[in-house]
Amino acid sequence: MTDHRTPPPPGPDLWATIDALHEWLDHSRPIEGREGVLLRILKLTEEVGEVSQAVIGATGQNPRKGITHSWEDVQAELCDVVITALVALRTLTPEAREVLAGHLERVARRSTVSSAQADVPRQSL
């Protein structure tokens, strides 16, 4: 039997979407200049707070409120953090893609080296 379902359309291109969001925010930014850039970066704090709120809500840690969120809410809030961070990075540099790729490579290399070193038995002194 042949599967005749149509494959899902590809998701939006990450960096094209980040560029579009950056452009849209720049056109509707009420505060310009350095202060506007700093406020865009501070938006991350708000988004991280929403992750915390969702985790607390998903685990029912507030006895007064009980369970108010799902783990899907936590996932969505984490996505908001990532998007906000990428837009903030794009605000600082038009080479955001290259900056992130280079940094990710350094982190991966450092993590790989750390993992490899952890596997090597240490000699006793």
Side-chain angles (χ1 to χ4, degrees):
M1 178 176 245
T2 305
D3 186 0
H4 294 288
R5 289 180 289 170
T6 306
D13 175 76
L14 175 67
W15 287 106
T17 303
I18 295 301
D19 286 341
L21 288 169
H22 170 260
E23 186 76 20
W24 171 70
L25 288 168
D26 271 2
H27 282 99
S28 59
R29 182 174 16 180
I31 298 174
E32 298 290 331
R34 183 177 181 181
E35 188 177 353
V37 170
L38 294 175
L39 289 170
R40 188 164 295 168
I41 293 169
L42 286 176
K43 176 75 172 155
L44 276 166
T45 304
E46 178 186 359
E47 296 298 341
V48 169
E50 291 175 9
V51 171
S52 298
Q53 183 179 17
V55 169
I56 289 168
T59 58
Q61 291 303 302
N62 184 336
R64 186 174 52 80
K65 295 181 179 179
I67 295 178
T68 58
H69 291 74
S70 68
W71 287 105
E72 289 78 18
D73 294 326
V74 175
Q75 293 171 12
E77 296 299 345
L78 286 169
C79 289
D80 286 348
V81 169
V82 171
I83 293 166
T84 302
L86 291 176
V87 170
L89 180 60
R90 174 58 186 86
T91 300
L92 292 176
T93 177
E95 288 85 31
R97 179 188 305 224
E98 294 79 12
V99 170
L100 179 61
H103 189 77
L104 183 60
E105 182 180 329
R106 287 188 297 279
V107 168
R109 188 171 48 246
R110 184 174 64 226
S111 298
T112 303
V113 169
S114 296
S115 296
Q117 288 175 345
D119 292 339
V120 175
R122 296 180 182 225
Q123 295 179 353
S124 58
L125 297 174

